[in-house]
Amino acid sequence: MVILSLVLLLLSVQWSWALEDPLLPFSEHLDPEHKVQLKWGFDEIQGTILFELTVSTSGWVGFGFSPKGGMTGADIVIGGVGAKGSYFTDRHAGGNSMPVIDQKQNYKLLSLTETDGKTVMKFQRSIEACDENDLTITNLPMKLIYAYGQTDDIMYHSTQRGTKELSLLKYMPRVNPPNSMYFDMTMINFTVPANQTHYHCKIMKAPTFDRKQHIYRIEPVITNFDLVHHLLLYRCPPSVTEPFEAECYTSLRTNLCMETIAVWGVGGGAFEFPEVAGLPIGGNVSDFFYRLEVHYNNANKSTGRVDNSGLRFYHTTELRQHDAAVLGAGLVIAPWYAIPPKAKSFLTYGMCDTAYFPKVLETPHDLQVFSVMLHTHLAGRKVRVGHFRGEKQIDFLAVDENYDFEYQDVTNLGKTKTVKLGDKLLVECTYSTENRSTLTWGGLSTTDEMCLAFLFYYPAMNLSGCMSFPNTTTLRSEMGTPGLNTWLNMMSTKTWNDTSINQYQQTLKRIDQLVVIADSFKNISRNTGLIPNLSVIPSAPCMSGCDTKNLALLWLLLCLLVQFMQKYN
């Protein structure tokens, strides 16, 4: 009876994995007849990519990467389930002939099954090329090739082959539900002030729908690409009941709406949610107002420019499995942190401690994070989001080692990453102020600085922010200037060199931090914490060619057996 329970539990877990595999969030059919389906996910930080190829055949299947779409120079794997069991080999092709087996087998087989006329091959490899016969998977679109046979005799594939071009590492799914609709939330004939920086806010209501729907795609609507730096849409609390328009952060009314719903940055494009999640609209949230924030960067202080920029939201009545949401994390935007001039590489930190979620939420839960947008201003050079559990760093949630102010986009993580309740997220930003002679302060202007990560996740919670800020009282005391004016004067007149910059940076990191959690209704929890040490997780080595068939399944079964032994011993 116990063994039967274990088997049933194992089957139920397999079934749940079949419904939704967070490690394989992307899917495309490679052929017009939908006989060849590719699912994949990747981890750019670890340097690995995972594939699952499903082909409607009981024979051999082949998949690979080609420089020009043909066999010549192609990097290929061939596998199947024959009379003597499964087979799987890493190969390369010199032309229109049988691909040659590589001396180094750099693809790692995870499972290979054949059921009901379908062959499913799951395997992993390094993103980088491991030898001269492999091709590096790049951020650009790549030509994928496939072929298959009706038997396990690997021979000419006839017409059972094809090519499809996909951007594997910069993939953006595109679906078109039959009942798709859209609405726009934009500025209307707004005259941009002749100021270098202006944040304009417009509080408005979204279209009303009788029943709940899901937003599945968000597109920017930009009328002045040289002026619009970024867009943010916030959901307002129920206390906001009237439309309003004014410069942002100059009125209490604009400060009330702080739950991020959508974000777009200069250089970015459209964003589509994964098939398992969508932003809710209508139904219970139909009565909410929203605040559209547009940051105008009018570097030339042009006059008389009229703008109608905003966001377009595609929505459907076909509800998805989860409601999605956006959580703002990082360093609190405030004027009391400073980045010294003449700094080659200055670090700031913002911490989100999810252990404090229960202080503002009745039923908090884990976050399944699938996308992120990283944000700094002109001095930003790198952004890293470290993931900690039990005071130990377990991963990086996201990393941009070559941050570009002119290209800020919402990017897919490559797989869904679980942030458990109690985990900490540390947003680290690296700045260069070598060409500046004065302090750079935290603030809203393009010449000020920020350090933010917008995390797209599901299932949604009523959260607006999870950030931190150095304890300014402790900071001034540590620097020997308890008074605010004395500290400001000291910071402005200090001789900044490598030594003084490093001392100041270490002080900022060492002192206690104010950790702030805010929910959708402006309830705020203030706590304290310390910045953990962020390390570099080494990339995974090139894959081994050893057969690890059903590795994940065997590991799960082992865990269940261990639990069983502990329970009955």
Side-chain angles (χ1 to χ4, degrees):
M1 185 67 183
V2 173
I3 298 298
L4 177 60
S5 299
L6 281 172
V7 171
L8 291 175
L9 177 59
L10 187 59
L11 289 174
S12 69
V13 172
Q14 282 187 274
W15 174 244
S16 67
W17 281 1
L19 292 176
E20 177 189 336
D21 189 340
L23 301 182
L24 295 164
F26 310 125
S27 177
E28 282 276 355
H29 283 96
L30 303 184
D31 64 321
E33 295 81 20
H34 289 191
K35 293 182 178 180
V36 181
Q37 183 186 33
L38 181 70
K39 293 183 178 181
W40 77 97
F42 55 87
D43 189 330
E44 287 190 282
I45 298 166
Q46 294 288 347
T48 59
I49 186 165
L50 175 67
F51 296 102
E52 183 180 87
L53 185 71
T54 301
V55 184
S56 296
T57 184
S58 297
W60 63 270
V61 298
F63 168 80
F65 310 95
S66 168
K68 296 183 179 180
M71 289 285 286
T72 303
D75 177 9
I76 298 170
V77 288
I78 295 178
V81 180
K84 297 181 180 180
S86 63
Y87 53 92
F88 178 83
T89 49
D90 176 10
R91 300 173 178 241
H92 66 278
N96 293 325
S97 58
M98 176 68 71
V100 179
I101 297 177
D102 290 4
Q103 285 189 337
K104 295 181 180 179
Q105 295 288 294
N106 295 317
Y107 286 74
K108 185 176 183 180
L109 179 63
L110 300 179
S111 65
L112 217 170
T113 60
E114 182 185 297
T115 309
D116 297 330
K118 287 190 175 182
T119 298
V120 181
M121 188 165 68
K122 189 173 183 179
F123 55 97
Q124 189 178 29
R125 59 157 282 180
S126 298
I127 292 175
E128 295 291 331
C130 291
D131 60 45
E132 67 276 6
N133 296 319
D134 294 343
L135 294 180
T136 295
I137 297 171
T138 69
N139 289 329
L140 300 175
M142 298 188 67
K143 291 179 174 61
L144 311 184
I145 59 174
Y146 67 89
Y148 59 95
Q150 296 303 321
T151 71
D152 289 298
D153 294 325
I154 303 172
M155 58 181 64
Y156 184 59
H157 42 62
S158 185
T159 60
Q160 296 168 155
R161 61 177 177 82
T163 303
K164 185 163 186 174
E165 189 171 73
L166 284 177
S167 184
L168 295 171
L169 302 184
K170 295 294 180 184
Y171 181 75
M172 189 61 65
R174 189 68 185 261
V175 298
N176 293 295
N179 57 348
S180 175
M181 298 162 281
Y182 73 85
F183 62 89
D184 293 343
M185 299 186 78
T186 67
M187 296 296 171
I188 303 295
N189 296 328
F190 171 67
T191 302
V192 181
N195 302 325
Q196 181 174 348
T197 294
H198 181 82
Y199 284 75
H200 197 70
C201 282
K202 180 180 179 181
I203 294 177
M204 62 189 119
K205 207 169 187 181
T208 301
F209 304 104
D210 293 335
R211 60 192 179 105
K212 177 180 174 181
Q213 302 190 30
H214 268 150
I215 294 169
Y216 66 89
R217 182 178 174 87
I218 303 174
E219 289 183 352
V221 180
I222 310 297
T223 54
N224 293 285
F225 281 96
D226 60 325
L227 297 180
V228 179
H229 176 262
H230 73 247
L231 305 167
L232 284 164
L233 187 72
Y234 300 94
R235 183 180 288 141
C236 301
S239 59
V240 177
T241 58
E242 297 290 337
F244 182 71
E245 189 168 351
E247 181 179 355
C248 301
Y249 310 109
T250 59
S251 167
L252 178 62
R253 294 172 72 178
T254 61
N255 295 345
L256 290 173
C257 313
M258 294 303 294
E259 182 184 1
T260 306
I261 296 298
V263 57
W264 174 88
V266 60
F271 175 74
E272 190 141 345
F273 288 83
E275 294 183 5
V276 298
L279 282 175
I281 191 76
N284 294 334
V285 296
S286 61
D287 294 329
F288 284 90
F289 277 78
Y290 295 83
R291 172 169 70 91
L292 175 65
E293 173 184 306
V294 182
H295 175 192
Y296 294 100
N297 183 32
N298 190 353
N300 297 322
K301 300 183 179 179
S302 304
T303 60
R305 300 284 296 277
V306 176
D307 189 68
N308 294 281
S309 297
L311 295 166
R312 175 166 294 172
F313 298 89
Y314 290 84
H315 57 101
T316 175
T317 55
E318 295 183 3
L319 295 183
R320 299 183 169 193
Q321 187 176 352
H322 301 288
D323 287 345
V326 184
L327 177 64
L331 186 61
V332 173
I333 302 171
W336 302 121
Y337 78 88
I339 301 169
K342 304 177 183 178
K344 298 177 183 178
S345 180
F346 187 84
L347 304 178
T348 64
Y349 302 91
M351 183 173 64
C352 168
D353 191 341
T354 66
Y356 296 122
F357 282 4
K359 291 195 173 185
V360 296
L361 297 174
E362 290 185 3
T363 56
H365 51 69
D366 299 346
L367 289 79
Q368 306 298 330
V369 183
F370 55 88
S371 295
V372 64
M373 178 179 173
L374 306 175
H375 181 67
T376 77
H377 284 175
L378 290 169
R381 296 295 181 269
K382 300 179 182 181
V383 185
R384 303 194 298 170
V385 184
H387 186 185
F388 294 79
R389 181 171 298 156
E391 305 304 321
K392 180 182 179 182
Q393 183 180 347
I394 62 170
D395 196 2
F396 280 104
L397 201 66
V399 169
D400 189 343
E401 294 287 338
N402 299 284
Y403 180 82
D404 188 345
F405 176 76
E406 297 299 331
Y407 186 80
Q408 303 179 41
D409 206 1
V410 180
T411 57
N412 288 316
L413 295 182
K415 63 181 181 181
T416 303
K417 297 188 177 184
T418 301
V419 178
K420 291 185 174 294
L421 195 63
D423 289 357
K424 293 179 182 177
L425 300 175
L426 183 65
V427 184
E428 175 198 80
C429 292
T430 302
Y431 305 96
S432 173
T433 57
E434 287 184 282
N435 60 348
R436 300 189 182 189
S437 57
T438 59
L439 294 167
T440 299
W441 293 95
L444 299 175
S445 172
T446 305
T447 54
D448 294 333
E449 269 308 332
M450 298 180 178
C451 181
L452 299 173
F454 295 95
L455 310 178
F456 288 68
Y457 73 96
Y458 63 83
M461 291 183 282
N462 291 319
L463 282 172
S464 63
C466 181
M467 303 181 181
S468 75
F469 195 80
N471 186 322
T472 54
T473 302
T474 306
L475 176 63
R476 295 196 302 267
S477 177
E478 287 276 328
M479 300 185 74
T481 51
L484 176 59
N485 291 332
T486 307
W487 179 76
L488 290 172
N489 181 66
M490 182 272 294
M491 292 289 289
S492 300
T493 59
K494 190 177 183 66
T495 299
W496 292 105
N497 52 40
D498 289 348
T499 300
S500 57
I501 290 171
N502 184 62
Q503 289 174 344
Y504 175 56
Q505 177 180 285
Q506 294 302 318
T507 301
L508 279 174
K509 182 183 177 184
R510 183 181 67 252
I511 63 175
D512 56 308
Q513 308 288 313
L514 175 65
V515 183
V516 180
I517 311 292
D519 71 1
S520 308
F521 310 105
K522 298 296 290 184
N523 297 311
I524 296 176
S525 171
R526 294 177 177 85
N527 314 277
T528 59
L530 296 174
I531 298 296
N533 291 321
L534 195 62
S535 61
V536 176
I537 298 178
S539 297
C542 284
M543 297 291 102
S544 167
C546 61
D547 185 357
T548 53
K549 184 179 180 182
N550 296 320
L551 179 63
L553 194 60
L554 291 173
W555 178 253
L556 177 62
L557 182 58
L558 178 62
C559 292
L560 292 172
L561 289 174
V562 169
Q563 292 178 1
F564 168 74
M565 295 294 290
Q566 290 176 340
K567 182 176 180 181
Y568 288 94
N569 283 344

mmCIF file of all heavy atoms in Angstrom, residues 339-343 433-440 491-492 494 496:
data_model
loop_
_atom_site.group_PDB
_atom_site.id
_atom_site.type_symbol
_atom_site.label_atom_id
_atom_site.label_comp_id
_atom_site.label_asym_id
_atom_site.label_seq_id
_atom_site.Cartn_x
_atom_site.Cartn_y
_atom_site.Cartn_z
ATOM 1 N N ILE A 339 26.793 59.451 -4.629
ATOM 2 C CA ILE A 339 27.864 58.726 -5.307
ATOM 3 C C ILE A 339 29.000 59.719 -5.529
ATOM 4 O O ILE A 339 28.799 60.773 -6.141
ATOM 5 C CB ILE A 339 27.375 58.157 -6.650
ATOM 6 C CG1 ILE A 339 26.195 57.216 -6.418
ATOM 7 C CG2 ILE A 339 28.503 57.434 -7.372
ATOM 8 C CD1 ILE A 339 25.484 56.812 -7.672
ATOM 9 N N PRO A 340 30.199 59.429 -5.020
ATOM 10 C CA PRO A 340 31.305 60.381 -5.134
ATOM 11 C C PRO A 340 31.737 60.583 -6.586
ATOM 12 O O PRO A 340 31.551 59.696 -7.431
ATOM 13 C CB PRO A 340 32.425 59.716 -4.323
ATOM 14 C CG PRO A 340 31.781 58.655 -3.520
ATOM 15 C CD PRO A 340 30.583 58.222 -4.290
ATOM 16 N N PRO A 341 32.335 61.723 -6.896
ATOM 17 C CA PRO A 341 32.917 61.918 -8.226
ATOM 18 C C PRO A 341 34.221 61.134 -8.354
ATOM 19 O O PRO A 341 34.756 60.626 -7.360
ATOM 20 C CB PRO A 341 33.171 63.429 -8.264
ATOM 21 C CG PRO A 341 33.391 63.807 -6.838
ATOM 22 C CD PRO A 341 32.488 62.904 -6.031
ATOM 23 N N LYS A 342 34.700 61.014 -9.590
ATOM 24 C CA LYS A 342 35.995 60.388 -9.888
ATOM 25 C C LYS A 342 36.044 58.904 -9.507
ATOM 26 O O LYS A 342 37.119 58.351 -9.283
ATOM 27 C CB LYS A 342 37.129 61.139 -9.198
ATOM 28 C CG LYS A 342 37.182 62.624 -9.548
ATOM 29 C CD LYS A 342 38.283 63.338 -8.784
ATOM 30 C CE LYS A 342 38.275 64.832 -9.086
ATOM 31 N NZ LYS A 342 39.307 65.568 -8.309
ATOM 32 N N ALA A 343 34.869 58.260 -9.417
ATOM 33 C CA ALA A 343 34.819 56.841 -9.048
ATOM 34 C C ALA A 343 34.808 55.982 -10.304
ATOM 35 O O ALA A 343 33.970 56.156 -11.189
ATOM 36 C CB ALA A 343 33.586 56.545 -8.202
ATOM 37 N N THR A 433 31.743 57.431 -12.272
ATOM 38 C CA THR A 433 31.629 58.903 -12.265
ATOM 39 C C THR A 433 32.999 59.537 -12.516
ATOM 40 O O THR A 433 33.282 60.616 -12.015
ATOM 41 C CB THR A 433 31.057 59.392 -10.919
ATOM 42 O OG1 THR A 433 31.912 58.922 -9.848
ATOM 43 C CG2 THR A 433 29.644 58.880 -10.691
ATOM 44 N N GLU A 434 33.831 58.844 -13.285
ATOM 45 C CA GLU A 434 35.184 59.344 -13.537
ATOM 46 C C GLU A 434 35.175 60.716 -14.201
ATOM 47 O O GLU A 434 36.090 61.514 -13.999
ATOM 48 C CB GLU A 434 35.947 58.357 -14.421
ATOM 49 C CG GLU A 434 36.363 57.075 -13.715
ATOM 50 C CD GLU A 434 37.191 56.181 -14.595
ATOM 51 O OE1 GLU A 434 36.616 55.497 -15.465
ATOM 52 O OE2 GLU A 434 38.429 56.170 -14.434
ATOM 53 N N ASN A 435 34.141 60.986 -15.006
ATOM 54 C CA ASN A 435 34.089 62.262 -15.719
ATOM 55 C C ASN A 435 33.255 63.320 -14.987
ATOM 56 O O ASN A 435 32.912 64.349 -15.563
ATOM 57 C CB ASN A 435 33.526 62.051 -17.124
ATOM 58 C CG ASN A 435 32.108 61.476 -17.102
ATOM 59 O OD1 ASN A 435 31.637 61.032 -16.054
ATOM 60 N ND2 ASN A 435 31.442 61.480 -18.234
ATOM 61 N N ARG A 436 32.951 63.085 -13.712
ATOM 62 C CA ARG A 436 32.161 64.049 -12.931
ATOM 63 C C ARG A 436 33.029 64.650 -11.830
ATOM 64 O O ARG A 436 33.870 63.966 -11.238
ATOM 65 C CB ARG A 436 30.919 63.390 -12.341
ATOM 66 C CG ARG A 436 29.988 62.821 -13.405
ATOM 67 C CD ARG A 436 28.660 62.359 -12.842
ATOM 68 N NE ARG A 436 27.813 61.772 -13.877
ATOM 69 C CZ ARG A 436 26.541 61.441 -13.722
ATOM 70 N NH1 ARG A 436 25.949 61.627 -12.541
ATOM 71 N NH2 ARG A 436 25.847 60.924 -14.719
ATOM 72 N N SER A 437 32.791 65.914 -11.555
ATOM 73 C CA SER A 437 33.595 66.623 -10.552
ATOM 74 C C SER A 437 32.821 66.914 -9.276
ATOM 75 O O SER A 437 33.394 67.404 -8.303
ATOM 76 C CB SER A 437 34.114 67.939 -11.143
ATOM 77 O OG SER A 437 33.032 68.748 -11.597
ATOM 78 N N THR A 438 31.522 66.621 -9.290
ATOM 79 C CA THR A 438 30.696 66.851 -8.107
ATOM 80 C C THR A 438 29.936 65.584 -7.755
ATOM 81 O O THR A 438 29.876 64.629 -8.540
ATOM 82 C CB THR A 438 29.690 67.996 -8.341
ATOM 83 O OG1 THR A 438 28.849 67.657 -9.466
ATOM 84 C CG2 THR A 438 30.421 69.306 -8.630
ATOM 85 N N LEU A 439 29.331 65.578 -6.560
ATOM 86 C CA LEU A 439 28.561 64.425 -6.103
ATOM 87 C C LEU A 439 27.359 64.167 -7.010
ATOM 88 O O LEU A 439 26.753 65.095 -7.549
ATOM 89 C CB LEU A 439 28.071 64.662 -4.669
ATOM 90 C CG LEU A 439 29.137 64.758 -3.568
ATOM 91 C CD1 LEU A 439 28.516 65.310 -2.302
ATOM 92 C CD2 LEU A 439 29.764 63.395 -3.299
ATOM 93 N N THR A 440 27.027 62.899 -7.164
ATOM 94 C CA THR A 440 25.803 62.495 -7.847
ATOM 95 C C THR A 440 24.835 61.992 -6.788
ATOM 96 O O THR A 440 25.133 61.039 -6.062
ATOM 97 C CB THR A 440 26.083 61.387 -8.874
ATOM 98 O OG1 THR A 440 27.002 61.874 -9.852
ATOM 99 C CG2 THR A 440 24.797 60.945 -9.562
ATOM 100 N N MET A 491 30.670 66.212 2.734
ATOM 101 C CA MET A 491 30.592 65.440 1.501
ATOM 102 C C MET A 491 30.940 66.289 0.282
ATOM 103 O O MET A 491 31.584 65.818 -0.667
ATOM 104 C CB MET A 491 29.188 64.846 1.339
ATOM 105 C CG MET A 491 28.834 63.762 2.351
ATOM 106 S SD MET A 491 29.729 62.212 2.084
ATOM 107 C CE MET A 491 28.954 61.634 0.588
ATOM 108 N N SER A 492 30.536 67.559 0.307
ATOM 109 C CA SER A 492 30.752 68.444 -0.839
ATOM 110 C C SER A 492 32.191 68.931 -0.945
ATOM 111 O O SER A 492 32.668 69.236 -2.045
ATOM 112 C CB SER A 492 29.812 69.642 -0.761
ATOM 113 O OG SER A 492 28.461 69.215 -0.780
ATOM 114 N N LYS A 494 34.915 67.245 0.499
ATOM 115 C CA LYS A 494 35.857 66.146 0.721
ATOM 116 C C LYS A 494 36.719 65.901 -0.515
ATOM 117 O O LYS A 494 36.263 66.036 -1.654
ATOM 118 C CB LYS A 494 35.088 64.870 1.084
ATOM 119 C CG LYS A 494 35.967 63.713 1.578
ATOM 120 C CD LYS A 494 35.089 62.538 1.974
ATOM 121 C CE LYS A 494 35.889 61.381 2.534
ATOM 122 N NZ LYS A 494 36.525 61.721 3.820
ATOM 123 N N TRP A 496 38.020 63.479 -2.882
ATOM 124 C CA TRP A 496 37.638 62.122 -3.259
ATOM 125 C C TRP A 496 38.734 61.484 -4.112
ATOM 126 O O TRP A 496 39.078 61.972 -5.188
ATOM 127 C CB TRP A 496 36.321 62.132 -4.023
ATOM 128 C CG TRP A 496 35.145 62.531 -3.189
ATOM 129 C CD1 TRP A 496 34.489 63.725 -3.203
ATOM 130 C CD2 TRP A 496 34.512 61.736 -2.188
ATOM 131 N NE1 TRP A 496 33.465 63.733 -2.277
ATOM 132 C CE2 TRP A 496 33.457 62.517 -1.633
ATOM 133 C CE3 TRP A 496 34.721 60.451 -1.685
ATOM 134 C CZ2 TRP A 496 32.627 62.047 -0.628
ATOM 135 C CZ3 TRP A 496 33.879 59.979 -0.676
ATOM 136 C CH2 TRP A 496 32.857 60.771 -0.158
#
